DNA sequence: TTTAGCACTCGAAGGCTTTGAGTGCTAAAC
DNA sequence: GTTTAGCACTCAAAGCCTTCGAGTGCTAAA
């Protein structure tokens, strides 16, 4: 094991046989969670090699940091690096069959009340398909664009704002008005906003309004004053709105890897303590397709023995959010990756084809 | 132990000393979860009795079904009946001090988006105050009354309905219309509905409309036809809407009683599997104040080692829903009960005083 | 390069003993 | 009649030992 060649991806070049053995070992370990010994591997690999030979190879792989032995006389277990190599170079994905895709599609296309509801349902879906915890990040407000605004007088000094967004969503807010407005005034203000800003991001709307109009307030006619008054409050304090939904945490209790109650508690607390996970998901917004964090790669402690598989979903070319699953490091990547991938695509498709709110009713 | 007298509540009359000992024992067990032995109890009770005497008393209490011994040489532990008696007859509640109530009030009075948001926040509150799992049942749709309706044309055959309810809530639905309606027609229909039905339960609105109007449809003028068309869809398929929010499940992991992973999993699954718990809460809607289910009293398996403490909350005299906590049987009832009680009252107060949506903004 | 053989390691599982907190019962003391 | 001291007894928990066996690495022969 010297004069080692390195392949493009930064992994050392290993011969066919070694690769095959590593692959078989990881698969086996994923299957039943027990350290894999030379004897077992010899049988599994179907290579007609003696355990002794296998041992030599395993020793090499351990040296390279792909495997480790929990203790002297146990078999070998993949390290994070081992999983990484397995996923990057050895994994044969199991694409979903037509029927499974159809099931997914049907469940995603079901009518929902709003964005949060949809997220919940997709999260459930991910979780039940993979037996892991499903996570769906809600559309980030920043990329939401305006479809329609309406104002509804509630009382003397209060009005209800209805924002219809491009993200399957109708949002309500109550605002306080400086003075009583008539229904007609409100109607006109809404008309103006709809004409001017439909299709733009609400962030932009806000900026445009503040910049252009506020400074010239004194010169405005009555209509424009109404518009400004309404719009300022409507778009101010845009709630941070970065949020996600987790489903199926309980599935994680069945994996021996996490059966340590203390670890599990930390993990569950991480789910509630939204800040940390959001940071992780934010990184995935950039990525183009499925992204995988193995064990400590995710960079924070609670996920120590977990892997995270994510994929962003887009609407009209814009990345709206991220979805994925969280489970033990030894999850069935060959199946989980396609599920996450396809789900993201289907969700995107569903959101895209619903410009007319198709999905509110079947 | 014969010629036993029974007191009004169906509990046998026990002498002062026995009561005191039972009380002390339960308190002690709640404090540290260990079976309580005669020696410990002798010290704790401050009665200057020897362990031997205590043992005699404990034997009697065991006979009565209030205590049991996990095994021959362990101390005693309260049975469900023991807890029941303790709560009914021996418990000294620890009322919250002014400052704690103020803290609760402030957190409940915080502005929220909608009913679900409020429920989530109150649930969190319960959980963090008690270190148990907090549960808040959402307002039942059945008792929601109508405050205002508006229709908003979205496209040719679709309209957005905005229902403002008395329960802190603004609800949106998309409906399909039989034919295109002008904004004016929709406005008139809304006006009519608002005039006729404001303040009534939406269940009633639905019935009234169906009964009175449908049968005479053919004779109606154009306005009334619009009204009927809109209203039918608006109020049809009233979503079941019985739902609740749980927060702080993770707290439950810290109690040794539930540290059996399998029990815990069942418990957590029960939280997700909403049907069962809803049935339990439904029973609490009737009750007038705090209600307590100890262990198997709740009548379903997952809650075997848990107690449930609930209280209904009301708006305008109507029971809107139920809130409470779920924790190990040996929870600190003296504190938990007041917390649940006060929280329910404060929530009711907050909802009642917000006829004008006071709480949407601070 | 592969393999058989062998000595070695070490966790898991089971069995044994010890410990100590608790019991119930009896008989004497109050 | 209570209360208590005394005593024999019970039993889970903890520690210790042994056994078992799955696994290892190394060496030397094929």
């Amino acid at each position: 094991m010297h004069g080692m060649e390195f392949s493009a991806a930064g992994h050392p070049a290993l011969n066919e046989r070694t690769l095959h053995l590593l692959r078989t070992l990881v698969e086996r370990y994923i299957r039943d969670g027990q350290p894999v010994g030379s004897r077992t591997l010899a049988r599994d690999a179907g290579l007609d090699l003696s355990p002794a030979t296998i041992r030599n190879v395993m020793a090499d792989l351990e040296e390279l940091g792909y495997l480790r032995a929990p203790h002297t006389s146990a078999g070998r277990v993949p390290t994070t690096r081992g999983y990484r190599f397995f996923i990057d170079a050895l994994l044969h994905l199991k694409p979903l069959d037509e029927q499974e895709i159809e099931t997914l599609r049907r469940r995603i296309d079901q009518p929902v009340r709003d964005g949060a509801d949809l997220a919940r349902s997709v999260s459930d879906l991910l979780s039940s398909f993979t037996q892991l915890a499903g996570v769906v990040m809600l559309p980030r407000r920043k990329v939401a664009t305006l479809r329609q605004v309406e104002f509804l007088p509630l009382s003397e000094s209060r009005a209800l704002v209805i924002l219809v967004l491009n993200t399957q969503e109708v949002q309500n807010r109550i605002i306080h008005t400086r003075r009583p407005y008539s229904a007609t005034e409100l109607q006109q203000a809404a008309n103006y906003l709809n004409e001017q800003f439909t299709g733009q991001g609400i962030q932009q709307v806000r900026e445009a309004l503040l910049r252009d109009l506020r400074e010239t307030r004194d010169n405005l006619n009555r209509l424009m004053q109404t518009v400004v008054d309404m719009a300022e409050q409507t778009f101010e304090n845009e709630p941070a709105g970065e949020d996600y939904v987790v489903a199926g945490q309980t599935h994680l209790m069945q994996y021996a890897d996490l059966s340590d109650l203390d670890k599990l508690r930390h993990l569950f607390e991480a789910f509630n303590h939204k800040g940390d996970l959001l940071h992780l998901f934010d990184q995935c917004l950039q990525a183009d397709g499925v992204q995988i964090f193995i064990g400590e790669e995710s960079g924070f402690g609670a996920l120590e023995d977990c892997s995270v598989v994510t994929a962003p979903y887009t609407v009209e070319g814009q990345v709206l959010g991220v979805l994925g699953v969280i489970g033990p490091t030894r999850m069935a990547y060959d199946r989980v990756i396609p599920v996450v991938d396809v789900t993201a695509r289907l969700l995107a498709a569903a959101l895209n084809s619903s410009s007319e709110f198709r999905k509110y009713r079947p």
Side-chain angles (χ1 to χ4, degrees), chain A residues 5 25 36 94 108 120 153 184 195 226 233 280 288 359:
Chain A
E5 302 274 316
L25 186 147
V36 183
K94 273 206 211 123
I108 289 180
R120 222 168 352 253
T184 323
E195 241 164 70
T226 311
Q233 285 212 46
L280 182 60
D288 201 28
K359 299 221 311 335

Side-chain angles (χ1 to χ4, degrees), chain A residues 151 153 156 179-189 222 226:
Chain A
F151 300 108
E156 280 275 303
R179 61 171 179 84
Y181 289 108
S182 72
T184 323
E185 281 177 305
L186 292 176
Q187 187 58 55
Q188 286 174 333
R222 202 167 163 84
T226 311

Side-chain angles (χ1 to χ4, degrees), chain A residues 108 122 126 135-140 143 280-293 308-325 337-349 351-352:
Chain A
I108 289 180
V122 172
L126 280 168
V135 186
V136 176
M137 208 170 122
L138 296 174
R140 297 177 309 155
V143 300
L280 182 60
F281 290 142
D282 265 344
Q283 297 174 20
C284 308
L285 285 171
Q286 327 301 341
D288 201 28
V290 174
Q291 193 159 39
I292 301 168
F293 298 89
V308 185
V309 178
T310 68
Y313 58 95
T314 58
V315 169
E316 293 159 18
Q318 275 262 347
V319 175
L320 259 204
V322 174
L323 56 74
V325 300
I337 293 173
V339 170
V340 170
D341 188 31
V342 170
T343 306
R345 288 173 205 278
L346 288 176
L347 177 58
L351 288 169
N352 275 315

Side-chain angles (χ1 to χ4, degrees), chain A residues 85-199:
Chain A
F85 183 65
F86 173 76
I87 290 170
D88 289 352
L90 304 175
L91 185 60
H92 293 351
L93 294 179
K94 273 206 211 123
L96 304 186
D97 61 40
E98 236 345 286
Q99 198 200 324
E100 289 174 307
I101 295 180
E102 200 39 50
T103 310
L104 278 172
R105 193 198 313 277
R106 260 203 312 278
R107 291 212 22 204
I108 289 180
D109 281 350
Q110 230 137 49
V112 291
R113 221 184 296 269
D114 57 23
D117 200 21
L118 180 60
R120 222 168 352 253
S121 133
V122 172
S123 193
D124 254 346
L125 191 57
L126 280 168
S127 138
S128 75
F129 254 68
T130 59
Q131 297 286 334
L132 306 171
V135 186
V136 176
M137 208 170 122
L138 296 174
R140 297 177 309 155
R141 291 284 141 64
K142 281 178 198 154
V143 300
T145 63
L146 196 60
R147 208 182 265 288
Q148 192 168 352
V149 196
E150 296 298 328
F151 300 108
L152 214 65
L154 277 183
S155 72
E156 280 275 303
S157 64
R158 254 163 287 242
L160 177 65
V161 185
I162 296 116
L163 288 178
V164 184
L165 304 178
N166 70 328
T167 53
Q168 287 278 325
E169 214 157 353
V170 180
Q171 247 183 60
N172 304 306
R173 318 188 179 173
I174 308 275
I175 61 175
H176 289 216
T177 56
R178 286 172 214 280
R179 61 171 179 84
Y181 289 108
S182 72
T184 323
E185 281 177 305
L186 292 176
Q187 187 58 55
Q188 286 174 333
N191 286 347
Y192 177 84
L193 286 169
N194 283 327
E195 241 164 70
Q196 293 293 310
F197 295 110
T198 294

Side-chain angles (χ1 to χ4, degrees), chain A residues 154-311:
Chain A
L154 277 183
S155 72
E156 280 275 303
S157 64
R158 254 163 287 242
L160 177 65
V161 185
I162 296 116
L163 288 178
V164 184
L165 304 178
N166 70 328
T167 53
Q168 287 278 325
E169 214 157 353
V170 180
Q171 247 183 60
N172 304 306
R173 318 188 179 173
I174 308 275
I175 61 175
H176 289 216
T177 56
R178 286 172 214 280
R179 61 171 179 84
Y181 289 108
S182 72
T184 323
E185 281 177 305
L186 292 176
Q187 187 58 55
Q188 286 174 333
N191 286 347
Y192 177 84
L193 286 169
N194 283 327
E195 241 164 70
Q196 293 293 310
F197 295 110
T198 294
Q200 300 195 27
I202 50 183
Q203 200 65 27
Q204 296 160 45
V205 177
R206 193 181 162 221
E207 280 160 21
L209 276 167
L210 288 187
R211 190 163 18 78
D212 294 353
L213 299 179
R214 202 177 198 172
E215 35 190 58
T216 50
R217 161 171 290 163
D218 300 332
N219 307 327
L220 297 174
N221 60 27
R222 202 167 163 84
L223 165 60
M224 288 311 286
Q225 277 192 31
T226 311
V227 170
V228 174
D229 187 13
M230 293 286 100
E232 256 182 355
Q233 285 212 46
T234 300
F235 298 104
E236 108 186 320
N237 283 333
E238 189 50 32
E242 300 256 302
D243 202 1
Y244 59 80
V245 170
V246 187
Q249 293 109 308
T250 48
H251 280 145
L252 300 183
M253 297 208 217
Q254 78 189 268
Y255 300 102
D257 316 50
L258 307 171
S259 69
D260 175 358
L261 230 157
D262 226 45
K263 259 184 205 162
L264 209 61
R265 212 183 68 232
H266 283 315
L267 187 55
F268 278 39
E269 266 158 15
F271 286 146
N272 295 334
H273 199 64
K274 309 220 160 183
D276 300 343
L277 268 187
L278 275 173
H279 179 254
L280 182 60
F281 290 142
D282 265 344
Q283 297 174 20
C284 308
L285 285 171
Q286 327 301 341
D288 201 28
V290 174
Q291 193 159 39
I292 301 168
F293 298 89
I294 303 157
E296 68 271 19
E297 285 181 359
S298 65
F300 82 107
L303 290 183
E304 147 176 56
D305 291 313
C306 292
S307 285
V308 185
V309 178
T310 68

